[in-house]
């Protein structure tokens, strides 16, 4: 595709629209505008044109404006609650301090296009200017109701640095790397952390490049409100019916919900059984001189269950040595005594919960710092002040079918 061919044939530069679906209504809530060039009866993506660093920026801006103008003309026919997602490279946008882009939008506002329906997807991939200048422009755009989305989340960690500065309305998370259930647990945890961050700052999650049902399930489970990708619908020249995939999404969500409920039931039953077993063991070992003696007694009964145990008080100070399973033998690790673990996520919250409910708590899955294994911890109140912590082994969790989050 030659750049001059495109510039001299702008009639065949057209917008395509990729539908974005909502989790709450299962309908189309917006469309992302994508550039296409019609040649020999087929449509070619303009992505390579915009990515080519040898093409002058003014040429790219001219083509960008043609695509946007044609898209906005068509969008005037849409329902008044449908959003339009517009991609803009930060470098191109800042050529004239974003003025031409804003003036174009304002001209369509006069025709009935409310600017609070516009979502600007900003890409800083090749931006070499000062970030504070860009930030000031985006703040200015927001005064008109324009929403800001950070693009390419999930495949470029540098964007994490910009979240606090931009406070975007939408995180756009790329699920390209999540193409199978074998994708690393660490990668999934990173995406989960992004979803937690979005919740904290009040941003909406949009998961893109969803190409299989597993990715849709992951997006649903991790707080995604908006979904986009070939699994749901390919980009088209025309706007698709907003209810096109309503029944399909509803059916898929029903499967997700059923699976999640079954999984939670398994974990609940497992936790209840663990509670009964630990209570019985503690009932048999009521007499002990110190916690190390108690841990040695428990280790005989829990040899196929745990790989580490210790006791902490309600403030997180360790009251015992660790007892650790090493090469099939239990060893005491006195160096851990008196360490404080109150800094761990949810530690104090779980202590208060155990104290009030008088029952144990099973943690979610996490990677153990020392062993690197995927584990869970079961904690249990020994009395009103001290709590037993049992790190459950990977093999045990696997046998019990609770290596699921």
């Amino acid at each position: 595709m030659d750049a001059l061919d495109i510039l001299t044939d702008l009639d065949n530069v057209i917008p395509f629209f990729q539908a974005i679906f909502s989790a709450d209504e299962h309908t189309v809530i917006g469309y992302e505008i994508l550039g296409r060039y019609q040649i020999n009866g087929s449509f070619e993506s303009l992505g390579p044109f915009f990515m080519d660093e040898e093409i002058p920026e003014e040429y790219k801006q001219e083509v960008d404006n043609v695509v946007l103008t044609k898209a906005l003309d068509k969008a005037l026919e849409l329902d008044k609650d449908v959003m339009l997602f517009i991609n803009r490279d930060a470098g191109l946008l800042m050529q004239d301090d974003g003025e031409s882009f804003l003036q174009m939008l304002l001209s369509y506002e006069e025709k009935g296009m409310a600017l609070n329906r516009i979502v600007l997807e900003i890409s800083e991939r090749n931006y070499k200017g000062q970030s504070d200048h860009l930030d000031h422009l985006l703040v200015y755009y927001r005064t008109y109701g324009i929403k800001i989305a950070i693009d390419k989340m999930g495949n470029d960690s540098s964007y994490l640095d910009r979240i606090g500065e931009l406070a975007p309305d939408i995180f756009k998370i790329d699920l390209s790397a999540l193409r199978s259930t074998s994708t690393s647990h660490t990668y999934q945890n990173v995406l989960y952390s992004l979803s937690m961050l979005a919740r904290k700052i009040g941003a909406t999650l949009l998961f893109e490049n969803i190409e299989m049902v597993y990715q849709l399930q992951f997006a649903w489970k991790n707080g995604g409100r908006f979904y986009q990708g070939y699994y749901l619908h390919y980009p088209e020249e025309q706007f698709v019916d907003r209810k096109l995939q309503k029944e399909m999404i509803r059916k898929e969500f029903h499967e997700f919900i059923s699976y999640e409920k079954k999984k939670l039931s398994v974990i609940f039953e497992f936790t209840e059984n663990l509670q009964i077993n630990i209570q019985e063991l503690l009932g048999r070992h009521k007499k002990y001189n110190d916690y190390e003696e108690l841990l040695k007694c428990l280790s005989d009964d829990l040899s196929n269950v745990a790989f580490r145990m210790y006791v902490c008080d309600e403030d997180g100070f360790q009251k015992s040595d660790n007892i650790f399973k090493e090469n099939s033998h239990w060893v005491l690790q006195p160096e851990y005594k008196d360490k404080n673990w109150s800094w761990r996520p949810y530690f104090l919250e779980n202590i208060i919960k155990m104290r009030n409910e008088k029952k144990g708590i099973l943690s979610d899955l996490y990677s153990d710092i020392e062993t690197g294994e995927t584990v869970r911890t079961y904690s249990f109140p020994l009395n009103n002040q001290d709590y037993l912590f049992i790190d459950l082994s990977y093999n045990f969790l696997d046998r019990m079918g609770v290596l699921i989050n």
Side-chain angles (χ1 to χ4, degrees), residues 270-282:
F270 171 79
T271 306
E272 289 291 297
N273 290 334
L274 202 55
Q275 168 93 12
I276 293 170
N277 292 337
I278 298 302
Q279 280 179 325
E280 289 179 352
L281 288 176
L282 291 173

Side-chain angles (χ1 to χ4, degrees), residues 112-163:
M113 174 66 67
L115 296 193
N116 62 6
R117 295 168 57 193
I118 301 297
V119 179
L120 173 61
E121 294 184 20
I122 192 72
S123 171
E124 300 178 69
R125 182 180 56 252
N126 298 317
Y127 182 55
K128 297 178 176 60
Q130 295 184 10
S131 60
D132 59 335
H133 290 175
L134 175 62
D135 294 353
H136 290 154
L137 174 64
L138 298 180
V139 169
Y140 179 56
Y141 281 172
R142 277 188 164 132
T143 64
Y144 288 92
I146 298 170
K147 298 177 180 65
I148 305 300
I150 290 186
D151 197 7
K152 305 305 179 189
M153 293 296 298
N155 61 4
D156 188 345
S157 60
S158 65
Y159 277 75
L160 293 175
D161 300 331
R162 299 288 287 136
I163 292 174

Side-chain angles (χ1 to χ4, degrees), residues 97-120:
D97 294 326
E99 190 60 30
S100 61
F101 177 72
L102 178 61
Q103 290 305 316
M104 181 183 295
L105 294 182
L106 289 173
S107 69
Y108 279 88
E109 185 181 40
E110 295 175 357
K111 300 176 184 179
M113 174 66 67
L115 296 193
N116 62 6
R117 295 168 57 193
I118 301 297
V119 179
L120 173 61

Side-chain angles (χ1 to χ4, degrees), residues 47-78:
F49 173 85
F50 290 115
M51 295 285 286
D52 191 339
E53 296 184 7
E54 295 184 2
I55 297 176
E57 291 189 341
E58 57 268 24
Y59 292 175
K60 294 180 182 179
Q61 194 164 46
E62 182 179 0
V63 173
D64 231 352
N65 288 340
V66 168
V67 173
L68 181 56
T69 299
K70 291 181 178 180
L72 291 172
D73 284 338
K74 277 192 170 185
L76 292 173
E77 70 190 45
L78 290 171

Side-chain angles (χ1 to χ4, degrees), residues 161-186:
D161 300 331
R162 299 288 287 136
I163 292 174
E165 298 168 357
L166 291 178
D169 303 285
I170 295 173
F171 285 2
K172 196 166 188 186
I173 298 179
D174 188 348
L175 288 185
S176 295
L178 197 71
R179 294 187 186 277
S180 74
T181 55
S182 63
T183 303
S184 76
H185 187 67
T186 300

